[in-house]
Amino acid sequence: MHWLYLFIAMALLLAASKASGWLVVVLVLASLVGFIAWMLGWVSTRISSGARNDTQIISPEEMRRLREQAEARKAAAQSNPGNPGSEPPP
């Protein structure tokens, strides 16, 4: 959608080069608005493409379970320091 703003802004700029008088000012300002809309749309698309999906966020219960597993592994490693293979499976 943001590419449409760029096309419209360029068309308005081309029309401003053919016009005369106060219409040039109006067309150049409209073209500027179109370029700004294109730039904001482009930046928004770039940011949203790098954003993480909300379904990938861990719930508090899952975080607590993972923390308990890590603490259990740490306690098992401290109780058997000479046997690193005795850690419980995840």
Side-chain angles (χ1 to χ4, degrees), residues 7-21:
F7 176 72
I8 290 171
M10 291 174 69
L12 288 171
L13 202 56
L14 180 67
S17 69
K18 307 276 185 205
S20 63

Side-chain angles (χ1 to χ4, degrees), residues 1-25:
M1 177 70 185
H2 61 277
W3 294 107
L4 185 61
Y5 294 137
L6 179 63
F7 176 72
I8 290 171
M10 291 174 69
L12 288 171
L13 202 56
L14 180 67
S17 69
K18 307 276 185 205
S20 63
W22 59 271
L23 188 57
V24 172
V25 175

Side-chain angles (χ1 to χ4, degrees), residues 49-59 62-63 66:
S49 70
R52 201 165 29 155
N53 192 354
D54 289 342
T55 59
Q56 294 176 345
I57 297 174
I58 304 176
S59 68
E62 182 72 15
M63 181 67 82
L66 290 172

Side-chain angles (χ1 to χ4, degrees), residues 6-82:
L6 179 63
F7 176 72
I8 290 171
M10 291 174 69
L12 288 171
L13 202 56
L14 180 67
S17 69
K18 307 276 185 205
S20 63
W22 59 271
L23 188 57
V24 172
V25 175
V26 172
L27 290 174
V28 167
L29 288 175
S31 177
L32 180 65
V33 168
F35 279 121
I36 291 172
W38 167 73
M39 187 174 31
L40 290 174
W42 180 73
V43 168
S44 174
T45 302
R46 293 283 302 213
I47 290 172
S48 67
S49 70
R52 201 165 29 155
N53 192 354
D54 289 342
T55 59
Q56 294 176 345
I57 297 174
I58 304 176
S59 68
E61 293 82 23
E62 182 72 15
M63 181 67 82
R64 181 186 50 78
R65 188 181 64 77
L66 290 172
R67 188 176 295 124
E68 288 172 356
Q69 286 179 354
E71 288 172 357
R73 278 192 220 112
K74 186 177 179 182
Q78 287 177 351
S79 66
N80 290 335

